[in-house]
């Protein structure tokens, strides 16, 4: 089972100073910053997924790339731009989520292949249009005419894409996109893509589906799936069900959730193979908009806030060095929660992570190097490092998956 990490230009600065919370004045973004595969000892993913909408921008706005970064990825090619080891594969797609509101995709087949060829991707997904709706029993009859239109459009564009890749002699493995609203419609899409000639097929629009609904679709697809066909799940993690997915022909998936949970989730910020922990929130007085507003309004004393923030960090570090008990850290974190007018208390969860100290047992290079710093929810440099740590945990979980009974091929 291969895991592709979707790019959103997430890097960390190796020279960031955690004690002063400052970047080196000499740092050049992206060039000096490092990707997860550069800071962890083992690459935590088998491939990266880069969306055209992120690089080139789309109808919903500019992409994540600056104009000079965009020029560089086209000039250097995706592999050199990301400084990827040879073992990591590169997959391109359009980022269909960015134009889900449009009647038709605002991008042509030729523009898409231009992007894939221009950046030198190993493989690229055909143009697709997401159907956000699911009705298990509706079969091939779409309950909504727009769903049927989107599926047919996706299939027509897949046919054009396959033909055009061959005609242009593009050095690119074409991946056909399948959309649907039910097990029968997904299975029919896969059947038609196989007839066009695709042996790699990406299943889109499944993010809102419940796991049993995904299994239901994969089971229907399994009836018509050719032995050589490899399925990719777009945007899905669900590690607990991966062995079942693998048994039904899924050989790869992509998802940002392990990374994003580090700083987007309310509770599951710091992952381990067996449990998830909350990260210790010590927001920067200068970087927290609610706190700034309260200071300006005279509700919070800036002096007290800064002093308590510093004391939190001092005691957290002292605790990691064995010089302060958990109670003393919790006491000052409680004071800071009061000062920052935190809507709810995380103290119970803090006690749990402090007692468990999961960074001490982790062998990833980031935990080894930074210790408790990356368990602190504070600023992008700590938060992204924790996200990278989570990716290394995901890689470990994936490596422990049982080989599915009856799997038609190896999933190594
Ligand atoms: Zn770690």
């Amino acid at each position: 089972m291969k895991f592709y990490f979707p790019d959103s230009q997430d890097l960390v600065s190796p020279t960031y100073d955690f004690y002063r919370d400052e970047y080196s004045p000499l740092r050049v973004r992206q060039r000096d910053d490092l990707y997860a595969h550069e800071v962890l000892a083992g690459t935590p993913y088998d491939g990266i997924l880069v969306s055209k909408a992120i690089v080139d921008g789309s109808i919903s706005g500019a992409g994540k790339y600056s104009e000079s970064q965009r020029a560089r990825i086209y000039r250097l090619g995706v592999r050199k731009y990301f400084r990827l080891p040879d073992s990591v594969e590169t997959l391109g797609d359009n980022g269909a989520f960015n134009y889900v509101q449009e009647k038709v995709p605002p991008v042509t087949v030729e523009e898409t292949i231009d992007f894939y060829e221009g950046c030198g991707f190993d493989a690229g997904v055909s143009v697709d249009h997401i159907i956000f709706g699911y009705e298990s029993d509706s079969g091939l009859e779409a309950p909504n005419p727009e769903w049927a239109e989107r599926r047919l459009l996706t299939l027509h564009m897949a046919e054009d894409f396959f033909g055009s890749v061959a005609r242009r002699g593009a050095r690119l493995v074409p991946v056909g996109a399948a959309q649907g609203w039910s097990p029968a419609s997904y299975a029919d899409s896969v059947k038609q893509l196989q007839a066009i000639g695709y042996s790699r097929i990406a299943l889109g629009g499944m993010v809102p589906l419940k796991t049993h609904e995904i299994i239901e679709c994969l089971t229907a697809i399994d009836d018509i799936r050719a032995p050589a066909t490899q399925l990719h799940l777009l945007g899905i993690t669900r590690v607990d069900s991966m062995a079942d997915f693998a048994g039904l022909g899924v050989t790869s998936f992509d998802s940002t959730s392990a990374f994003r949970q580090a700083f987007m989730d309310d509770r599951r910020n710091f992952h381990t193979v067996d449990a998830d922990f909350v990260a210790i929130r010590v927001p920067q007085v200068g970087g927290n908009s609610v706190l700034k507003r309260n200071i300006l309004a005279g509700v919070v004393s800036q002096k007290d806030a800064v002093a308590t923030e510093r004391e939190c960090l001092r005691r957290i570090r002292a605790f990691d060095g064995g010089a302060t008990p958990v109670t003393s850290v919790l006491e000052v974190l409680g004071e800071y929660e009061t000062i920052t007018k935190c809507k709810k208390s995380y103290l119970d969860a803090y006690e749990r992570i402090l007692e468990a100290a999961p960074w001490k047992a982790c062998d990833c290079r980031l935990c080894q190097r930074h210790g408790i710093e990356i368990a602190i929810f504070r600023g992008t440099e700590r938060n992204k490092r924790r996200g990278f740590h989570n990716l290394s945990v995901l890689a470990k979980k994936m490596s422990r998956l049982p080989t599915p009974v009856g799997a038609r091929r190896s999933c190594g």
Side-chain angles (χ1 to χ4, degrees):
M1 180 69 73
K2 289 181 174 170
F3 168 53
Y4 285 77
F5 183 54
D7 163 54
S8 195
Q9 284 303 289
D10 292 308
L11 302 99
V12 295
S13 167
T15 52
Y16 187 78
D17 182 338
F18 284 109
Y19 280 78
R20 292 169 184 271
D21 270 315
E22 299 181 336
Y23 286 100
S24 156
L26 303 173
R27 165 202 181 215
V28 177
R29 275 169 186 270
Q30 205 273 339
R31 196 196 67 189
D32 296 340
D33 294 348
L34 300 175
Y35 293 99
H37 57 264
E38 296 178 295
V39 285
L40 292 163
T43 306
Y45 28 75
D46 304 287
I48 55 164
L49 170 65
V50 184
S51 294
K52 186 175 187 303
I54 299 257
V55 177
D56 288 344
S58 84
I59 201 136
S60 60
K64 284 257 179 183
Y65 284 57
S66 66
E67 204 36 60
S68 68
Q69 288 173 335
R70 186 176 168 271
R72 277 185 68 222
I73 191 172
Y74 275 94
R75 191 174 71 245
L76 297 175
V78 61
R79 186 165 293 282
K80 276 197 180 152
Y81 179 84
F82 280 89
R83 305 179 290 262
L84 287 173
D86 290 345
S87 59
V88 177
E89 293 172 23
T90 58
L91 174 66
D93 82 351
N94 263 302
F97 190 77
N98 287 278
Y99 53 76
V100 70
Q101 304 296 344
E102 301 302 307
K103 185 122 183 74
V104 294
V107 60
T108 65
V109 166
E110 297 307 320
E111 286 164 353
T112 303
I113 302 174
D114 288 345
F115 168 65
Y116 297 159
E117 276 205 296
C119 298
F121 284 95
D122 298 325
V125 182
S126 62
V127 188
D128 64 335
H129 211 14
I130 298 174
I131 298 166
F132 271 127
Y134 187 79
E135 281 192 21
S136 176
D137 301 330
S138 60
L140 266 182
E141 283 298 315
N144 176 333
E146 201 193 337
W147 297 1
E149 272 170 37
R150 285 184 175 221
R151 191 176 81 96
L152 285 183
L153 188 63
T154 299
L155 287 168
H156 284 149
M157 293 184 103
E159 190 168 9
D160 289 352
F161 181 83
F162 195 86
S164 192
V165 165
R167 228 176 7 260
R168 289 168 64 153
R171 290 167 53 130
L172 173 83
V173 177
V175 180
Q179 292 285 345
W181 55 81
S182 63
S185 57
Y186 271 110
D188 186 70
S189 291
V190 169
K191 191 175 161 190
Q192 293 201 41
L193 291 168
Q194 288 180 159
I196 293 167
Y198 286 102
S199 56
R200 281 179 68 179
I201 293 173
L203 305 172
M206 288 190 166
V207 174
L209 265 56
K210 297 190 174 71
T211 300
H212 75 88
E213 293 170 333
I214 296 175
I215 300 264
E216 195 167 86
C217 292
L218 291 172
T219 306
I221 291 167
D222 208 40
D223 289 339
I224 52 85
R225 186 168 55 90
T229 300
Q230 301 187 22
L231 302 175
H232 177 96
L233 291 177
L234 286 164
I236 307 279
T237 315
R238 316 206 192 169
V239 176
D240 294 344
S241 305
M242 276 301 160
D244 295 333
F245 295 163
L248 292 167
V250 175
T251 56
S252 58
F253 68 99
D254 68 87
S255 168
T256 53
S257 72
F259 175 72
R260 299 217 161 268
Q261 278 183 354
F263 45 90
M264 301 292 276
D265 203 86
D266 183 44
R267 295 270 157 181
R268 302 171 64 189
N269 307 128
F270 191 108
H271 297 184
T272 71
V273 171
D274 307 307
D276 297 332
F277 295 89
V278 83
I280 305 162
R281 284 142 171 87
V282 186
Q284 284 160 287
V285 171
N288 184 291
S289 54
V290 178
L291 197 49
K292 266 202 234 163
R293 225 177 300 134
N294 284 332
I295 288 170
L296 283 174
V299 181
V300 169
S301 144
Q302 182 169 25
K303 200 169 138 233
D304 289 352
V306 170
T308 314
E309 176 197 4
R310 284 194 189 141
E311 186 59 13
C312 284
L313 292 173
R314 194 190 68 74
R315 288 197 207 174
I316 286 171
R317 287 168 183 147
F319 166 80
D320 204 29
T324 295
V326 171
T327 47
S328 151
V329 186
L330 293 175
E331 183 192 24
V332 72
L333 287 170
E335 280 171 35
Y336 201 45
E337 280 188 348
T338 308
I339 288 176
T340 54
K341 306 214 176 298
C342 193
K343 285 200 180 97
K344 60 178 171 186
S345 176
Y346 290 89
L347 292 178
D348 287 349
Y350 293 160
E351 186 173 4
R352 194 171 151 257
I353 187 172
L354 289 167
E355 296 282 5
W359 56 90
K360 286 194 171 156
C362 181
D363 60 4
C364 91
R365 210 183 257 174
L366 290 163
C367 287
Q368 300 271 312
R369 175 157 181 214
H370 302 291
I372 203 168
E373 291 294 336
I374 65 165
I376 305 174
F377 197 123
R378 174 186 171 88
T380 182
E381 289 294 327
R382 288 180 185 78
N383 293 348
K384 283 188 177 172
R385 277 174 173 80
R386 189 167 56 256
F388 288 175
H389 150 90
N390 286 352
L391 288 178
S392 78
V393 173
L394 176 64
K396 258 183 222 149
K397 287 181 187 170
M398 298 300 299
S399 72
R400 292 181 183 187
L401 284 183
T403 309
V405 178
R408 296 189 195 178
R409 52 194 148 261
S410 125
C411 299

